[in-house]
Every structure is written in C-alpha cells, then in structure tokens.
Amino acid sequence: MPQKKKTKPNAKVAKTAKRQKSSRWGRIAFALLVVMTVIALGFFLVLREEGQQSVAENAVGTVFQPVENALSTVTRGIRGIINGARDYWTISENYQVAQQENMKLRMQLEALEEAQQENKRLNELLDAKTLYSSSDPVFARVIGRDPGVWFETFTIDRGTKDGVGINMAVITGDGLVGRILEVGLNYSKVMSVIDTRSSVACLIERTRDNGVMHGEIASDSVTDECNMYYLPKINDIIPGDVVLTSGMDGIFPKGLTVGTVKAVARQSDLSDQYIVVAPSVDFLHVEEVLVLREETEDEEGSHAVLHTPTPRPTAEPTPGTGEEEPEPTPDDPNEQTWTRPSAMPDTDEIPETESGAEPTPTPAPSIDPSGLKPEDIWTT
Amino acid sequence: MRRFLPTILVVLMVMIECSVLPVLVVSWACPMITFTGVIVLGLLLGRSRGLFYGMMAGLLIDILFATPLGYNAVLYLLAGYAAGIAGRRFQRHLLTPVVTPVVLLSMFEMVSVGYLYLAGATLNTILLRNALVRIAAGTVLGQALYLLFNLLLKPVWSRFAAK
C-alpha cells in the first residue's frame, strides 16, 4: 500500500513532462511548416515564368498525376458499372413491356387476319347467295367431320327445321361442295364430291362433253382429286379446262363450278380413260357453306326434294286430213335435223360424197318451232 | 362417378376427334383417337365393357358425323370386344398393349380400304404407306392412353394392380 501511494505522484509528473515535451515538438513542427510555406510561395510566385509552371508546381503535379489518374480510372469504372446495372434494369423492364405489347399486337393482328379471311369467305358466300338466290340458299357452318381419311363427310348446323332436305346441293363461293346425305332436326350430314361414294354428273365447259365424276381416297392431306369417267372424246380435253355440273343427275343445278382438269389419263382401253379433276373448293378448310334449298310440292302436298327434270314434249303433230301421205322420217343425215355441235369436226359424220365433189357442210341447227331450246328437249 | 368415367371419356374422345382436331390438325397421319381409346378401354375393362363402349363410340360417330349408319358401330364394337379378350388372356404379357392396337388398327385399315374398293374406289400404293404411319401413330397414342386410363379408371383387373 505505501508503494502505490509513491507511484501515483510519479506517474503524474511523468505525464506532465511528456506533455510538455510533445507540445515543444509541435511548436517546432509548426514553425518549420510555416517556413516551408513561405519558401514554396516564393518559388511559386517569384520564380514563375509567364505561361509556364514553376519548377515546384511541375514537381508537385508530376508526383500527384499518377495518383489522380488511378483514382479517376477507378471512379470511372465504378460509375460505368453502376450505370450499366441501372441501364440493364431499365432495358429489361422496357423489353418486357415491349414483349407483352408485341404479343398483344400479334394476337390482334392474327385476329384481324382471321376476321379478314372470314370476311372474304363470307363475301364470296354472299356473292354465291346472290347468284343462286332463286334456289333459296341458306347459310350453314361446318361443325364436325367424319374421323379418318376414307370418307369425306361432314356435319353442318342446319336441319329440317331450316328447310334442309336430302340431296340438296351444298356450295361455297368457290364451287360445289357436295350434297345433303342425311338430315336431322338441326343438323345434316353432307357428302362431299371428293368422297369415293360420290358421283356427280359433270361436263367440260369448253367442249361440253359430259361425264361422271367420282371422288378418290385421299393419299395426302394437300390435294384432293377426283376422276371423271365416261367422256366421249378424251383427246379434246386439255389440263386447265373447267369442269361444271351438267344437271343430268337431277341433284346439282347446272353450271356449278366443280373444278379444273389436272391431267388426262389415256388408256388403251377406251372404257378406262379418265381425267383427273382438281376441285375448286379447298375441302381441308371448308368452314361455311350454302345449302341450295329447292323444293317442289306435288299434288298431295308432300315436299319432294329437288325435282328431276322431266322431258318437255315437242310440238305435237297436227293430224292430217288423210289425203296427204305423211312425210317419211328423215334417215338421210343430209336432211336438216338438229345435231349437237362438236368442237372438233368428226370425220365419221361427214357423209361420203362422190369423188371430186366437196363435202356438204354440217347443217345449221334449227330451232324447234315451239320456241323451246334444243337443250331443253330431253331425248332418249 | 368412376362408373360414368368411361362414358365421359368416350364422349370426350368423339367430340375432340370430330369437332376439335379437324380444325387444328389437317393431316393424313393423324391417329384415330376414339378407336385407339376404345381399344385401350377394352384392354383395361374387359370384353363386355369394351364391346359396350365400342358400340357407344361407333354409334355416336355414325349418328353425328358418318355414314352409313352402323359401319363404325360394328367396327368399334368388334375392336372393343377383341381388345377385351386380349386384355384378359394376355394380361401379364409385356407386349399386349403394343400388339393389340397394331393388330386392330391394321384390321380397321384393311376393312376400310376393302369397303371403299368394293364401292368403286381406285387404290394406290401410297395408301399403304399412309396406313402404316397411322398405325404407328395410333400405337404410340395407345400407350399414352393406356397409362392415363389406368390412372383414371383404376380397373379391378389391371396389370399394374398389386397382387
């Protein structure tokens, strides 16, 4: 205990001495600094030439320049990183906004294109409806298809309550689609012309040759083809000829576009010759159709579907007085009877003439005095 | 609910195949979903229920979309019945779900082509290629449907059931 009491006053004294010593050195350092400053000022201000730095300035600047350069470079790098990060987030947000807007616009564009396509189809249907307004057409949508690729039947949303009946023709703006096969209350089944069980009486528009068109089994999903048989003169037909309905089957109205000739198959056996017809309707994308409702009512009041064209009688011969002999039926082909004109002159029809004499020309068609056109007369 | 699930599945398959798929996919290689589903139902549920659901599916297609009436009904009915027999007789065999769709799809293709040939259609060798592709696609689809239906229906007699 007495030792501790002795150290306390000694510590205080030592501390005081130390403090006095440090203050003395501080005063000396301060004085030196002042002197140096004065000297430096003298160098900077007195020994400075005009337009040039003094030696001292040059020395100080040269020493500090690398340090400034390093600091500046680091600062620029950090600033670049920060700006880049900020720009990244900004660009990322803008990209997402632009992407969403792009998707929305794309969907709108697709909807508009779909509406445009539908508008085009419906306009074509409207034109067809106007064209066949006398056949009382009704608009229908395709609601289902037969599964598989062997049969080409589909279902529409019109039935007996809409006046649809069996064997009514179904068309689009492009041409003939098929006929009503079966009918329910509010739906109907349609057999398309490309179905293998379908038969359509057709004619070639240019040559007016009649034939029967059958559908074929679809070999791929791109093209649907039909074959037309029983043509009298297949050599006259060329690819590109238009095929129309002839109305001879009593189901399809005459003059409906069916398709175009794609190829002509000439076989050695005349009965095997046929032509390949490409339908004008795109059966893979049929969505809306028109059903031609032509209905006739017989005496009993029942509704018959699409009347069969009956032969109109020719002018009845007036009974003679009995004194004059009736004119003989003309057997000579040179007599003036109406013959169906053909595109190509048939040598078989030109009668044999005497040698040196010119062949007699084909007689001009004469119109029946009853006022009927030749094609209206259905002769067997 | 599980009792009516096969009926719901059959109706759903018919609607998808006839009203949805033709709008989305236009391809000769598209497999027959309903026919494959009927085969799978026959494999899982037996011959009598396979026959019933096959007849239901085929009749539904005939009434709504196809013609002549009874064509698909008979074919689907026989397919369901045959699949049911195969499913019971060769239940534990590994390749039964693979061989059965191949055989039944091939027979369906042959019957269809034969019917059309007798109806006057002309045949082409490319039809054989198309048929083979459809059979392959249908078989692959059948495997997926087999697993899915087994999960949904949980049949009593199942190759995946615990012994």
Side-chain angles (χ1 to χ4, degrees), chain B residues 80-113:
Chain B
Y81 186 74
I85 292 175
R88 288 294 171 263
R89 194 174 179 85
F90 307 104
Q91 186 181 17
R92 297 295 174 186
H93 200 280
L94 187 66
L95 292 177
T96 301
V98 177
V99 173
T100 309
V102 170
V103 170
L104 293 176
L105 284 168
S106 304
M107 291 176 69
F108 188 89
E109 294 274 347
M110 280 192 294
V111 168
S112 297
V113 170

Side-chain angles (χ1 to χ4, degrees), chain B residues 35-107:
Chain B
F35 190 78
T36 310
V38 163
I39 293 172
V40 170
L41 286 175
L43 283 171
L44 289 173
L45 302 176
R47 59 185 179 185
S48 58
R49 296 177 74 184
L51 184 147
F52 172 73
Y53 294 121
M55 189 189 69
M56 187 172 72
L59 204 57
L60 195 60
I61 290 175
D62 280 339
I63 290 171
L64 292 178
F65 306 108
T67 187
L69 185 68
Y71 176 82
N72 286 294
V74 169
L75 290 179
Y76 281 49
L77 178 154
L78 291 175
Y81 186 74
I85 292 175
R88 288 294 171 263
R89 194 174 179 85
F90 307 104
Q91 186 181 17
R92 297 295 174 186
H93 200 280
L94 187 66
L95 292 177
T96 301
V98 177
V99 173
T100 309
V102 170
V103 170
L104 293 176
L105 284 168
S106 304
M107 291 176 69

Side-chain angles (χ1 to χ4, degrees), chain A residues 5-233:
Chain A
K5 286 182 182 177
K6 284 182 182 176
T7 55
K8 275 188 180 177
N10 288 337
K12 278 188 182 174
V13 169
K15 272 188 183 175
T16 308
K18 202 173 180 181
R19 203 175 291 148
Q20 286 175 354
K21 198 176 181 181
S22 66
S23 67
R24 190 192 306 155
W25 283 110
R27 285 197 294 272
I28 293 171
F30 180 73
L32 274 175
L33 188 63
V34 169
V35 168
M36 283 176 67
T37 304
V38 170
I39 295 170
L41 281 174
F43 273 112
F44 293 147
L45 297 175
V46 175
L47 299 177
R48 184 186 175 90
E49 292 180 6
E50 189 173 345
Q52 286 186 358
Q53 288 184 334
S54 62
V55 176
E57 283 178 314
N58 209 357
V60 172
T62 304
V63 169
F64 278 94
Q65 187 273 340
V67 177
E68 288 176 2
N69 201 13
L71 287 174
S72 174
T73 303
V74 170
T75 306
R76 273 201 297 272
I78 293 172
R79 185 186 64 186
I81 291 172
I82 293 172
N83 285 344
R86 189 177 59 205
D87 291 343
Y88 170 77
W89 290 115
T90 306
I91 290 170
S92 179
E93 285 176 3
N94 290 342
Y95 173 75
Q96 285 181 3
V97 170
Q99 199 177 24
Q100 287 175 5
E101 197 171 343
N102 186 23
M103 280 172 59
K104 201 186 296 182
L105 289 172
R106 193 173 292 177
M107 284 167 64
Q108 284 179 2
L109 182 64
E110 286 174 1
L112 284 173
E113 283 177 354
E114 179 67 24
Q116 193 178 14
Q117 292 291 329
E118 188 178 9
N119 187 30
K120 183 184 170 189
R121 285 198 310 270
L122 293 177
N123 274 332
E124 288 173 357
L125 273 179
L126 189 63
D127 292 338
K129 190 173 183 180
T130 307
L131 186 64
Y132 297 104
S133 57
S134 60
S135 301
D136 191 17
V138 63
F139 173 81
R141 287 190 191 274
V142 177
I143 58 174
R145 284 182 182 268
D146 188 355
V149 297
W150 307 275
F151 306 104
E152 298 291 342
T153 56
F154 54 89
T155 307
I156 59 175
D157 60 351
R158 298 289 183 188
T160 52
K161 71 177 181 64
D162 303 297
V164 175
I166 298 174
N167 285 339
M168 286 182 177
V170 179
I171 65 169
T172 63
D174 293 328
L176 180 66
V177 173
R179 65 182 174 93
I180 300 293
L181 194 62
E182 295 175 9
V183 62
L185 181 64
N186 55 359
Y187 75 98
S188 303
K189 293 183 199 173
V190 178
M191 178 190 286
S192 58
V193 295
I194 59 174
D195 193 291
T196 52
R197 298 163 296 173
S198 166
S199 296
V200 182
C202 299
L203 60 85
I204 308 295
E205 186 184 32
R206 183 175 58 87
T207 64
R208 315 304 293 181
D209 289 331
N210 283 271
V212 178
M213 190 180 77
H214 295 285
E216 295 297 323
I217 303 176
S219 58
D220 56 30
S221 58
V222 178
T223 56
D224 294 309
E225 293 173 347
C226 305
N227 289 350
M228 191 167 165
Y229 299 89
Y230 315 121
L231 290 156
K233 294 176 189 174

Side-chain angles (χ1 to χ4, degrees), chain A residues 239-309:
Chain A
D241 283 339
V242 177
V243 179
L244 309 174
T245 54
S246 65
M248 300 286 283
D249 49 13
I251 295 176
F252 303 105
K254 183 179 179 180
L256 288 174
T257 304
V258 179
T260 53
V261 177
K262 193 175 173 184
V264 178
R266 294 183 178 85
Q267 311 288 341
S268 55
D269 190 359
L270 294 177
S271 60
D272 288 341
Q273 290 183 347
Y274 62 95
I275 61 172
V276 179
V277 178
S280 57
V281 173
D282 183 7
F283 285 95
L284 299 176
H285 301 100
V286 171
E287 296 181 26
E288 296 94 8
V289 297
L290 282 177
V291 180
L292 302 182
R293 301 178 293 187
E294 280 194 51
E295 210 165 341
T296 56
E297 203 172 84
D298 58 12
E299 294 175 356
E300 296 174 3
S302 61
H303 292 271
V305 181
L306 212 66
H307 65 280
T308 314

